[in-house]
Amino acid sequence: MAKSTGKKKTNATIDPAEDAGTPVAAQPVNAVETISRFTDFDIHLFRQGKHYKLYEKLGSHVMEVNGVVGTYFAVWAPNATYLSVIGNFNGWNHGAHALAPRWDSSGIWEGWVPNIGVGEVYKYYIISQNGQHLEKSDPFALWCEVAPRTASIVWDTWYEWNDADWMKIRKEKNKLNAPISVYEVHLGSWQRDPSDPERHLTYKEIAESLVPYVKEMGFTHVELMPIMEHPYAPSWGYQITGYFSCSSRMGTPQELMYLIDQLHQAGIGVYMDWVPSHFPGDAHGLFRFDGTSLYEHEDPRKGYHPDWKSYIFNYGRNEVRSFLISNAIFWLDRYHTDGLRVDAVASMLYLDYSRKHGEWIPNEFGGRENLEAISLLREMNVAVYTEFPDVQTIAEESTAFPGVSRPVFVGGLGFGMKWMMGWMNDTLKYFEKDSAFRKWHQDQLTFSLVYAFSENFMLPFSHDEVVYGKKSLINKMPGDEWQKSANLRLMFTYMFTHPGTKLMFMGGEFGQTSEWNFQQSLDWHLLEQPAHKGIRECVIALNKLYKEEAALFDFSFSHDGFEWIDTQDRENSVLVYARKSIDPARNLIIALNLTPVPRKSYRVGVISEGSWQEIFNSDAAQFGGSGIINYDAVTAENHQWHGKAHSLMLDLPPLGAVVLKKVVAKRK
């Protein structure tokens, strides 16, 4: 039971002239108990930007006071002159339940309202210093109404988790020398109700099919595109109004927790997209929350994003820093997520991002780096890894900013991994070319190894590459239908055997032919066709290969794990390379034939003598390939080739990849 602070109750009414037309007769005088969940130390941390669990204090919290159940409300609005809680419980009366400002000038308004609890709908009514009348949803609301309605809902995050076994082992599953293969999912369009395609499935309904599917596919993790509350569905979740609320379109917080719990029980980790880069200008959201630029920077040269027509957080304001870091911690704490993929980091790092000369303000040293945002990202990563050392933070960052995935103590930003955007763009540009012209563009595939170990890179084929006229992955591929499928299987094999962790957007794994449409389900009927079923079987086999072969993950981010064997056969468009394990007996050799011409008896240099066995072939018949397979182990000859003392002869399939592993004699 919470105890009263002993402070007096407020019997608040407001001047009806200032109450946007609410009649005096509709304004009952109701008691609001002025109690607080804040200690002096909480306030100190908040003001210093060091309070990382504000969700335990601000927002709405059901509490029992002197035997009566009610709800405590607390909101930061330092420039408000009046603030009350409105909702169904008081007929949306602006004068019924006024909150009191704290005595310490922290800008926090608070109070406890009796006889309301979980499920109550509410907003904050605010009168600003310049006389504006605002109705705002709660920045710390744990749940919200379904759009287009915009009120907050009193809720809690209590859930009886059953993922203890996963939480014990996730350090091993999340470590940087583990195989990490991520399935990127937009929950609203992965699958819809077959009987009513307009209806979103609930989180619990999605769990019934998503969990077994991801497990069968062999992905180690899923990445959920933003599931925080967002009123504008075409933003895909990247225009957030409720940072602490899961999207109510698909159910309650507990139903989302159930989905995550089920994934964990199946041995699948959950990364979540997080968007600290910008927020929309919806009237009920964070924008000009108390009539001033509270969360965003006042100067549009730092506070407005021209590309997305949204607003940029004021990273130099301590209270905003506490808000953002608390939000990162919240999803890891209350929802047991295993990591955060941080969106649009590049837009945060540079003051001149997407701005012309004269449209941005240099930093104090005259440079273009956003020093406040850089400081925030470092502090966020330190806070996250201190509290949860077994998770990962992943930066979507597309520039050459140094040290994104290097520790803060050596001057880095402190992320665990960074998306390898250059690799993705170069790879797609190469594979889009007709095979007849690829011999002049081989550098687009080899260049990535020049910088592959400068960061801890994740290789993405993300949602951004299959929308807005860019075509689906399979329809980027040249040639007839057979060649399109073969090219896609070949590209995926190159991805899984290239250094770095992996990410694949939903639909790519079975060759979705249409671009992604957030308003409808994936085209699951395509799996009735052999070609698409074959692509899916190939991805299943690649995930299995990736998890079983240590050479593909022992040194994901180190030169020690990779060696080019041949990059010079441009005429035949063949590439040969080795992936290396801690145990040399587990090393692999990979050969890519990037044309539709089979290469019979093709000589390949090998990194050691002995016999080598083909363990994967993207041209296998069960994948929809032509079935040119090297069935028998091949013994390396004492024949110098590709700068190696030993070599062997292989059949390279058309638009195919071959993976070889050394045969180790069994001990008697």
Side-chain angles (χ1 to χ4, degrees), residues 243-440:
Y243 271 79
F244 291 83
S245 170
C246 69
S247 174
S248 52
R249 291 177 178 88
M250 291 170 285
T252 67
Q254 283 70 24
E255 288 176 310
L256 174 57
M257 292 173 193
Y258 174 85
L259 170 60
I260 295 170
D261 199 0
Q262 291 297 305
L263 285 162
H264 282 173
Q265 290 181 53
I268 300 162
V270 180
Y271 296 150
M272 186 175 287
D273 271 15
W274 184 55
V275 190
S277 48
H278 64 120
F279 61 88
D282 295 69
H284 69 282
L286 297 178
F287 175 63
R288 297 192 69 82
F289 186 79
D290 63 358
T292 67
S293 295
L294 190 62
Y295 286 90
E296 69 273 25
H297 201 285
E298 178 72 34
D299 192 320
R301 291 174 294 177
K302 292 182 71 175
Y304 181 72
H305 202 297
D307 283 354
W308 303 317
K309 307 297 187 292
S310 55
Y311 295 87
I312 302 169
F313 285 101
N314 185 346
Y315 302 116
R317 188 163 196 167
N318 286 340
E319 294 89 345
V320 174
R321 293 169 74 93
S322 283
F323 171 85
L324 287 171
I325 297 176
S326 290
N327 189 242
I329 295 291
F330 171 80
W331 293 102
L332 300 165
D333 176 15
R334 298 297 175 86
Y335 282 82
H336 283 207
T337 52
D338 306 295
L340 300 171
R341 177 267 195 185
V342 183
D343 182 64
V345 171
S347 74
M348 298 175 65
L349 295 178
Y350 294 103
L351 295 163
D352 64 345
Y353 184 89
S354 201
R355 296 178 189 274
K356 298 176 183 177
H357 180 72
E359 295 179 347
W360 59 283
I361 308 171
N363 64 34
E364 60 187 288
F365 303 109
R368 55 193 284 258
E369 295 80 11
N370 189 331
L371 302 180
E372 295 166 343
I374 291 168
S375 170
L376 171 81
L377 290 170
R378 286 173 171 159
E379 186 173 347
M380 181 276 297
N381 278 314
V382 169
V384 164
Y385 282 114
T386 298
E387 187 80 13
F388 303 99
D390 52 355
V391 304
Q392 288 291 349
T393 60
I394 305 158
E396 188 223 7
E397 204 284 313
S398 55
T399 74
F401 190 93
V404 171
S405 59
R406 296 293 178 257
V408 170
F409 64 79
V410 297
L413 291 183
F415 286 94
M417 288 177 273
K418 169 183 170 175
W419 273 21
M420 199 176 189
M421 310 290 278
W423 172 88
M424 177 180 69
N425 293 327
D426 287 346
T427 297
L428 291 174
K429 286 177 183 177
Y430 178 88
F431 274 91
E432 286 172 350
K433 291 179 172 62
D434 188 285
S435 58
F437 305 110
R438 287 177 175 175
K439 60 185 176 181
W440 289 294

Side-chain angles (χ1 to χ4, degrees), residues 48-90:
Q48 295 299 311
K50 303 296 183 183
H51 203 306
Y52 301 154
K53 291 191 176 181
L54 277 179
Y55 52 89
E56 295 179 347
K57 306 293 179 176
L58 288 169
S60 58
H61 302 269
V62 176
M63 297 170 55
E64 186 178 307
V65 177
N66 296 329
V68 178
V69 173
T71 298
Y72 166 84
F73 296 93
V75 61
W76 178 54
N79 301 299
T81 60
Y82 176 86
L83 195 149
S84 66
V85 184
I86 56 177
N88 291 333
F89 62 92
N90 63 10

Side-chain angles (χ1 to χ4, degrees), residues 468-516:
Y468 299 144
K470 294 181 182 179
K471 302 180 182 178
S472 64
L473 286 183
I474 195 167
N475 280 330
K476 293 177 189 286
M477 304 294 110
D480 58 23
E481 292 306 308
W482 187 90
Q483 290 187 15
K484 287 179 182 293
S485 295
N487 267 305
L488 188 60
R489 297 192 307 270
L490 173 59
M491 187 175 74
F492 284 158
T493 307
Y494 167 61
M495 172 194 192
F496 273 86
T497 57
H498 188 287
T501 55
K502 328 297 175 187
L503 178 137
M504 186 183 299
F505 182 57
M506 63 183 198
E509 79 278 8
F510 62 81
Q512 168 102 0
T513 51
S514 61
E515 288 189 348
W516 170 51

